[in-house]
Amino acid sequence: MRAFPVVMPSGQRYWTVLDDDLEVVPVTDHWLRNLRFGRDRAELTTKVYADGAALYLRWCRATGRQWAEAGRDLGLFMVWLKYTPAPRDGGAVVVQPGPGSEPVRGERRINRVLVAVRGLLSYAVTAGEAPRGVLGQIYELADSRDLPVEATGEDGGLFLRLRPVHRLREPEADVDRAADAELVAMFTACRSARDRLVVLLLGRVGLRRGQAAELRRGDVHLLPDSRGLGCEHPGAHVHVRRRENSNGAWSKSRQAWVAPLDFLTVSAFDLYYEERHRLQGQGGVDFLLVNLFRAPMWRRCRRRRSGSCSSGSGSGRGWGGGWVRTWPGGRSA
């Protein structure tokens, strides 16, 4: 069992699950396709769910269980997830538990897999591929009497809710963000105006990697007054919109929003525009961030690119876009 990308004739993509004979698993494919196109979920969401569903189907095959009726044994599946490594080079996986064994998956990863499994089984019930009793195996019906007073609402009425039966307690951890000194070190280590602009878009403006990679030139308004361009937002800003992109970038936010730009980021835009015009001229694609030097821009926005940049910053640790990113407007000038 493995996750596999599917490209539609329109160019849109989603992920599905293939069995050992490289045949599509029908129910899983219908569920993931419905998530992508029927509920407007991101391509990356279908990939995460496809990985989780593949692990569940692999466990059912290895233990001789029917996937539609294995919901009652999800506790054993959680143990299997915790100590069974992923197969490599087609070899058989051998579980060697014992005192002091190191888990191969953490609590957060296991909970994400369980979310995918519950989604698959719930869809199978509604599609008639699994018995209705499965829902009672993966969810328990609870009411509002066990909630704190602050969570019951003003009316204080009794309401019912579904609560997952199987879930691990995730350890609390502080969010690791780049300090101002580390951000400055990465900024000075960049070798091009484009890379410095990427650092500022993530570190000062607060964009996600996908949002920065999907920006178009028309999304950037650097004038103090852009009403002549049909935009009523004052000051310099960028428009962040969710849309399909040929480079695979995707904004998690369903709603369009506007991010203000400070004077330093506006200056970085000016230097990048000069660099881009010098290397590419007036032509090129409509994307704001384009390939001027080596690998395609959307690939360099990923962790591999971020790690190579941190090696020259002297920070002593690797970083990713989430480590650099702050809340919009969260860093002072």
Side-chain angles (χ1 to χ4, degrees), residues 3-330:
F4 190 82
V6 179
V7 182
M8 304 295 287
S10 62
Q12 293 179 304
R13 292 160 49 102
Y14 75 99
W15 287 72
T16 189
V17 177
L18 303 182
D19 58 19
D20 293 339
D21 298 326
L22 301 182
E23 296 288 342
V24 173
V25 180
V27 177
T28 308
D29 183 69
H30 295 164
W31 168 57
L32 293 170
R33 190 169 64 241
N34 178 68
L35 284 177
R36 180 69 175 94
F37 305 113
R39 303 186 62 181
D40 195 28
R41 296 295 182 88
E43 175 194 340
L44 183 59
T45 300
T46 63
K47 181 181 186 303
V48 174
Y49 284 4
D51 289 335
L55 287 171
Y56 174 70
L57 297 175
R58 190 183 305 158
W59 169 73
C60 292
R61 181 197 59 192
T63 57
R65 290 178 169 87
Q66 296 295 325
W67 68 266
E69 301 175 356
R72 60 179 180 271
D73 296 328
L74 284 185
L76 297 176
F77 175 57
M78 295 165 66
V79 177
W80 183 87
L81 281 176
K82 191 172 184 179
Y83 293 105
T84 305
R88 295 182 179 179
D89 300 329
V93 175
V94 178
V95 183
Q96 297 179 348
S101 298
E102 290 292 335
V104 297
R105 298 180 182 87
E107 291 82 358
R108 184 179 182 183
R109 168 62 174 154
I110 293 176
N111 284 336
R112 287 186 176 183
V113 173
L114 292 176
V115 170
V117 173
R118 286 192 292 266
L120 171 62
L121 293 178
S122 299
Y123 177 82
V125 170
T126 59
E129 300 289 342
R132 290 188 173 272
V134 172
L135 291 179
Q137 298 171 357
I138 60 178
Y139 292 105
E140 64 179 9
L141 185 63
D143 56 44
S144 58
R145 287 177 292 184
D146 61 340
L147 294 176
V149 178
E150 294 80 2
T152 57
E154 297 181 356
D155 55 358
L158 182 67
F159 60 89
L160 302 177
R161 58 193 175 91
L162 289 177
R163 182 168 56 189
V165 175
H166 307 89
R167 181 176 176 82
L168 293 178
R169 184 182 299 274
E170 299 180 13
E172 297 183 1
D174 296 333
V175 178
D176 187 16
R177 298 293 186 190
D180 290 343
E182 294 172 318
L183 185 65
V184 171
M186 288 181 286
F187 180 82
T188 56
C190 293
R191 300 180 180 179
S192 66
R194 182 194 66 180
D195 292 349
R196 287 189 288 271
L197 177 61
V198 171
V199 173
L200 292 180
L201 287 175
L202 272 61
R204 291 182 68 88
V205 182
L207 300 185
R208 298 180 181 272
R209 288 167 292 175
Q211 293 169 343
E214 77 160 357
L215 285 177
R216 311 293 176 89
R217 286 186 282 186
D219 296 332
V220 182
H221 294 159
L222 302 180
L223 297 176
D225 188 349
S226 300
R227 285 180 293 182
L229 302 175
C231 178
E232 298 296 331
H233 295 279
H237 59 273
V238 294
H239 292 266
V240 182
R241 301 180 175 93
R242 184 177 186 177
R243 53 197 165 197
E244 297 287 342
N245 297 286
S246 59
N247 63 358
W250 183 266
S251 174
K252 285 189 175 182
S253 176
R254 294 178 179 269
Q255 302 296 327
W257 56 286
V258 175
L261 304 177
D262 59 10
F263 73 96
L264 182 59
T265 309
V266 172
S267 300
F269 268 103
D270 291 339
L271 294 175
Y272 168 65
Y273 285 150
E274 189 278 331
E275 179 183 74
R276 175 171 174 171
H277 179 75
R278 173 168 45 86
L279 296 176
Q280 284 196 341
Q282 297 181 355
V285 298
D286 191 38
F287 285 108
L288 173 67
L289 302 174
V290 296
N291 176 28
L292 298 177
F293 306 101
R294 292 180 293 276
M297 187 61 226
W298 69 276
R299 294 185 182 273
R300 299 186 70 197
C301 279
R302 296 187 175 180
R303 294 184 181 272
R304 183 178 62 180
R305 166 60 182 162
S306 302
S308 63
C309 184
S310 66
S311 62
S313 66
S315 61
R317 57 173 175 168
W319 59 274
W323 181 66
V324 179
R325 178 178 177 266
T326 185
W327 296 109

